[in-house]
Amino acid sequence: MKQSVMEGPALVAFRLSEEQAAGRYLAARREMLRLRSQVTAIGRLVSQYPRRLDYRASLKAAATAHGAAVQRAELAYQRWQQAQLRSDSYWTETAGRAA
């Protein structure tokens, strides 16, 4: 027998928060991967043309941007996990006991 558990407005808000946090994490991860490929490409140019100072400066800037993107992705992941835990604990305290 299938039991239907109605979600209250608070649980819906927690689920929406969780979905938004997941979306922010995915966007941050995509940006991190894009910057990683940029660092790789510029790194190849630097290895091919080691005397080009503009390539080296671009590599340094891209590596710095990638490092910041990694931190943003990690923070977004942590916030997504926290949102999941809030949502799951609220569900367990309310509707989960009824199931």
Side-chain angles (χ1 to χ4, degrees), residues 14-81:
F14 281 126
R15 295 285 188 210
L16 179 61
S17 172
E18 181 182 341
E19 287 180 18
Q20 290 172 344
R24 286 188 295 271
Y25 166 67
L26 291 175
R29 180 160 170 76
R30 263 187 296 235
E31 179 67 10
M32 179 189 72
L33 295 175
R34 185 188 69 79
L35 289 170
R36 182 176 68 181
S37 66
Q38 187 178 26
V39 167
T40 302
I42 296 172
R44 287 183 185 140
L45 283 173
V46 168
S47 67
Q48 289 174 354
Y49 305 101
R51 294 182 185 193
R52 294 282 306 260
L53 296 179
D54 56 335
Y55 287 174
R56 289 182 181 272
S58 294
L59 179 61
K60 183 176 180 179
T64 302
H66 176 258
V70 168
Q71 290 178 345
R72 285 191 302 272
E74 289 173 354
L75 182 61
Y77 182 78
Q78 290 172 359
R79 289 181 177 165
W80 176 35
Q81 295 299 309

